[in-house]
Amino acid sequence: EIVMTQSPATLTVSPGERATLSCRASQSVSNNLAWYQQKLGQAPRLLMYGASTRATGIPARFSGRGSGTEFTLTINSLQSEDIAVYYCHQYNTWPPGTFGQGTKVEIK
Amino acid sequence: EVQLVESGGVVVQPGGSLRLSCAASGFTFHDYTMHWVRQSQGKGLEWVSLITWNGGSAFYADSVKGRFTISRDNSENSLFLQMNNLKPDDTALYYCARERNCIFYSWGQGTLVTVSS
């Protein structure tokens, strides 16, 4: 099973600053990597797929990059509405792929 | 607007059974593979099961294999999860999710299952 490791566990960022989240796969997943955002008390929401393609309606301040085993999600100019837990999910091995354990983004 | 509404979550004793439902609307239900994904209190996401568009194939996580059965009724735009021999570790919020090309495009709000004596 491919293990997805996210870092850091918690990221505290000032409003307007950049947040960079990392996701590492234990073996290559090509670019078959998605990011999901989960706000408190809400269901997860698709942010990104194919490592770098924003889902419908996702603001341009969210960007993703990477391939193989190293991936990043960047939130430029962090806003209060971005406070959430972010999960990466590899779908190179399917079903069902594997989720990372999440990174919690907090406002400083 | 895509909507997925789960129901059926309750408190049940260990060894008990439960049937979860997910009512889908706003999209062509029979075009999609559907999944159940669960989340324990304060924990991450754990995939549970999937069923293909016509119900022809189903897959399960090892942790639920032999105890849970996924099914769907395309005429009613509904997804189900029959859960038997429930264990305390099955306590979680259960989400149904719509998937295409291995990506979970939409999620419901979840239904809470608590297994406790």
mmCIF file of all heavy atoms in Angstrom, chain B residues 12 38-41 83 86-94 112-116:
data_model
loop_
_atom_site.group_PDB
_atom_site.id
_atom_site.type_symbol
_atom_site.label_atom_id
_atom_site.label_comp_id
_atom_site.label_asym_id
_atom_site.label_seq_id
_atom_site.Cartn_x
_atom_site.Cartn_y
_atom_site.Cartn_z
ATOM 1 N N VAL B 12 -25.842 2.152 17.833
ATOM 2 C CA VAL B 12 -26.144 0.722 17.748
ATOM 3 C C VAL B 12 -25.155 -0.041 18.623
ATOM 4 O O VAL B 12 -24.012 0.404 18.804
ATOM 5 C CB VAL B 12 -26.091 0.242 16.275
ATOM 6 C CG1 VAL B 12 -24.711 0.448 15.684
ATOM 7 C CG2 VAL B 12 -26.542 -1.199 16.136
ATOM 8 N N ARG B 38 -15.463 7.046 5.328
ATOM 9 C CA ARG B 38 -15.805 7.374 6.706
ATOM 10 C C ARG B 38 -14.678 8.162 7.389
ATOM 11 O O ARG B 38 -13.531 8.156 6.948
ATOM 12 C CB ARG B 38 -16.131 6.125 7.516
ATOM 13 C CG ARG B 38 -14.964 5.179 7.765
ATOM 14 C CD ARG B 38 -15.479 3.899 8.429
ATOM 15 N NE ARG B 38 -14.378 2.970 8.711
ATOM 16 C CZ ARG B 38 -14.557 1.746 9.218
ATOM 17 N NH1 ARG B 38 -15.787 1.306 9.483
ATOM 18 N NH2 ARG B 38 -13.524 0.962 9.456
ATOM 19 N N GLN B 39 -15.081 8.820 8.464
ATOM 20 C CA GLN B 39 -14.140 9.665 9.208
ATOM 21 C C GLN B 39 -14.460 9.550 10.688
ATOM 22 O O GLN B 39 -15.537 9.955 11.131
ATOM 23 C CB GLN B 39 -14.250 11.122 8.747
ATOM 24 C CG GLN B 39 -13.237 12.050 9.358
ATOM 25 C CD GLN B 39 -13.251 13.408 8.683
ATOM 26 O OE1 GLN B 39 -14.298 13.928 8.293
ATOM 27 N NE2 GLN B 39 -12.068 14.003 8.514
ATOM 28 N N SER B 40 -13.525 8.995 11.431
ATOM 29 C CA SER B 40 -13.698 8.896 12.875
ATOM 30 C C SER B 40 -13.460 10.254 13.512
ATOM 31 O O SER B 40 -12.783 11.109 12.929
ATOM 32 C CB SER B 40 -12.733 7.867 13.455
ATOM 33 O OG SER B 40 -12.906 6.623 12.832
ATOM 34 N N GLN B 41 -13.991 10.449 14.698
ATOM 35 C CA GLN B 41 -13.900 11.714 15.406
ATOM 36 C C GLN B 41 -12.467 12.206 15.457
ATOM 37 O O GLN B 41 -11.568 11.544 15.988
ATOM 38 C CB GLN B 41 -14.441 11.550 16.835
ATOM 39 C CG GLN B 41 -14.355 12.798 17.689
ATOM 40 C CD GLN B 41 -15.324 13.866 17.250
ATOM 41 O OE1 GLN B 41 -16.341 13.584 16.621
ATOM 42 N NE2 GLN B 41 -15.034 15.103 17.567
ATOM 43 N N MET B 83 -24.588 -2.631 6.944
ATOM 44 C CA MET B 83 -23.485 -2.824 7.873
ATOM 45 C C MET B 83 -23.900 -3.860 8.915
ATOM 46 O O MET B 83 -24.857 -3.641 9.660
ATOM 47 C CB MET B 83 -23.128 -1.499 8.554
ATOM 48 C CG MET B 83 -22.953 -0.351 7.569
ATOM 49 S SD MET B 83 -22.988 1.274 8.342
ATOM 50 C CE MET B 83 -21.477 1.241 9.252
ATOM 51 N N LEU B 86 -21.415 -4.966 13.604
ATOM 52 C CA LEU B 86 -20.719 -3.702 13.820
ATOM 53 C C LEU B 86 -19.805 -3.758 15.034
ATOM 54 O O LEU B 86 -20.108 -4.414 16.045
ATOM 55 C CB LEU B 86 -21.725 -2.565 13.964
ATOM 56 C CG LEU B 86 -22.304 -2.096 12.620
ATOM 57 C CD1 LEU B 86 -23.611 -1.359 12.806
ATOM 58 C CD2 LEU B 86 -21.294 -1.225 11.882
ATOM 59 N N LYS B 87 -18.676 -3.063 14.922
ATOM 60 C CA LYS B 87 -17.677 -3.007 15.980
ATOM 61 C C LYS B 87 -17.484 -1.551 16.424
ATOM 62 O O LYS B 87 -17.774 -0.626 15.651
ATOM 63 C CB LYS B 87 -16.355 -3.551 15.452
ATOM 64 C CG LYS B 87 -16.435 -4.938 14.871
ATOM 65 C CD LYS B 87 -15.108 -5.366 14.268
ATOM 66 C CE LYS B 87 -15.206 -6.763 13.677
ATOM 67 N NZ LYS B 87 -13.915 -7.221 13.096
ATOM 68 N N PRO B 88 -16.999 -1.363 17.639
ATOM 69 C CA PRO B 88 -16.743 0.021 18.087
ATOM 70 C C PRO B 88 -15.859 0.811 17.114
ATOM 71 O O PRO B 88 -16.055 2.019 16.955
ATOM 72 C CB PRO B 88 -16.054 -0.183 19.428
ATOM 73 C CG PRO B 88 -16.614 -1.480 19.940
ATOM 74 C CD PRO B 88 -16.775 -2.341 18.704
ATOM 75 N N ASP B 89 -14.917 0.137 16.460
ATOM 76 C CA ASP B 89 -14.047 0.823 15.500
ATOM 77 C C ASP B 89 -14.791 1.324 14.267
ATOM 78 O O ASP B 89 -14.235 2.087 13.473
ATOM 79 C CB ASP B 89 -12.911 -0.108 15.044
ATOM 80 C CG ASP B 89 -11.813 -0.215 16.096
ATOM 81 O OD1 ASP B 89 -11.856 0.554 17.077
ATOM 82 O OD2 ASP B 89 -10.923 -1.070 15.941
ATOM 83 N N ASP B 90 -16.028 0.884 14.074
ATOM 84 C CA ASP B 90 -16.823 1.364 12.938
ATOM 85 C C ASP B 90 -17.486 2.701 13.249
ATOM 86 O O ASP B 90 -18.124 3.292 12.364
ATOM 87 C CB ASP B 90 -17.908 0.343 12.568
ATOM 88 C CG ASP B 90 -17.322 -0.968 12.081
ATOM 89 O OD1 ASP B 90 -16.325 -0.933 11.329
ATOM 90 O OD2 ASP B 90 -17.872 -2.027 12.436
ATOM 91 N N THR B 91 -17.359 3.158 14.478
ATOM 92 C CA THR B 91 -17.919 4.457 14.848
ATOM 93 C C THR B 91 -17.267 5.555 14.017
ATOM 94 O O THR B 91 -16.036 5.711 14.019
ATOM 95 C CB THR B 91 -17.689 4.729 16.344
ATOM 96 O OG1 THR B 91 -18.433 3.782 17.103
ATOM 97 C CG2 THR B 91 -18.123 6.139 16.712
ATOM 98 N N ALA B 92 -18.096 6.293 13.287
ATOM 99 C CA ALA B 92 -17.562 7.310 12.379
ATOM 100 C C ALA B 92 -18.696 8.063 11.714
ATOM 101 O O ALA B 92 -19.859 7.657 11.782
ATOM 102 C CB ALA B 92 -16.682 6.667 11.298
ATOM 103 N N LEU B 93 -18.307 9.145 11.071
ATOM 104 C CA LEU B 93 -19.210 9.863 10.175
ATOM 105 C C LEU B 93 -19.031 9.244 8.790
ATOM 106 O O LEU B 93 -17.905 9.163 8.289
ATOM 107 C CB LEU B 93 -18.848 11.342 10.160
ATOM 108 C CG LEU B 93 -19.768 12.310 9.440
ATOM 109 C CD1 LEU B 93 -21.160 12.315 10.074
ATOM 110 C CD2 LEU B 93 -19.175 13.716 9.468
ATOM 111 N N TYR B 94 -20.126 8.787 8.217
ATOM 112 C CA TYR B 94 -20.066 8.101 6.931
ATOM 113 C C TYR B 94 -20.547 9.046 5.830
ATOM 114 O O TYR B 94 -21.676 9.552 5.876
ATOM 115 C CB TYR B 94 -20.929 6.826 6.955
ATOM 116 C CG TYR B 94 -20.266 5.700 7.714
ATOM 117 C CD1 TYR B 94 -20.196 5.723 9.111
ATOM 118 C CD2 TYR B 94 -19.694 4.618 7.045
ATOM 119 C CE1 TYR B 94 -19.574 4.705 9.815
ATOM 120 C CE2 TYR B 94 -19.071 3.588 7.738
ATOM 121 C CZ TYR B 94 -19.017 3.653 9.117
ATOM 122 O OH TYR B 94 -18.390 2.638 9.814
ATOM 123 N N LEU B 112 -23.908 10.010 11.022
ATOM 124 C CA LEU B 112 -23.075 9.530 12.125
ATOM 125 C C LEU B 112 -23.521 8.166 12.627
ATOM 126 O O LEU B 112 -24.688 7.986 12.992
ATOM 127 C CB LEU B 112 -23.108 10.541 13.276
ATOM 128 C CG LEU B 112 -22.242 10.215 14.479
ATOM 129 C CD1 LEU B 112 -20.765 10.169 14.092
ATOM 130 C CD2 LEU B 112 -22.472 11.242 15.594
ATOM 131 N N VAL B 113 -22.576 7.238 12.638
ATOM 132 C CA VAL B 113 -22.798 5.905 13.182
ATOM 133 C C VAL B 113 -21.984 5.777 14.464
ATOM 134 O O VAL B 113 -20.773 6.006 14.461
ATOM 135 C CB VAL B 113 -22.378 4.816 12.172
ATOM 136 C CG1 VAL B 113 -22.473 3.432 12.813
ATOM 137 C CG2 VAL B 113 -23.241 4.895 10.918
ATOM 138 N N THR B 114 -22.663 5.410 15.534
ATOM 139 C CA THR B 114 -21.984 5.196 16.820
ATOM 140 C C THR B 114 -22.248 3.769 17.261
ATOM 141 O O THR B 114 -23.401 3.358 17.402
ATOM 142 C CB THR B 114 -22.488 6.177 17.884
ATOM 143 O OG1 THR B 114 -22.302 7.520 17.426
ATOM 144 C CG2 THR B 114 -21.732 5.990 19.187
ATOM 145 N N VAL B 115 -21.176 3.028 17.480
ATOM 146 C CA VAL B 115 -21.289 1.642 17.934
ATOM 147 C C VAL B 115 -20.831 1.594 19.380
ATOM 148 O O VAL B 115 -19.644 1.737 19.684
ATOM 149 C CB VAL B 115 -20.447 0.693 17.061
ATOM 150 C CG1 VAL B 115 -20.666 -0.759 17.507
ATOM 151 C CG2 VAL B 115 -20.806 0.863 15.592
ATOM 152 N N SER B 116 -21.787 1.407 20.249
ATOM 153 C CA SER B 116 -21.479 1.452 21.673
ATOM 154 C C SER B 116 -22.534 0.697 22.462
ATOM 155 O O SER B 116 -23.711 0.694 22.089
ATOM 156 C CB SER B 116 -21.425 2.904 22.150
ATOM 157 O OG SER B 116 -21.258 2.982 23.550
#
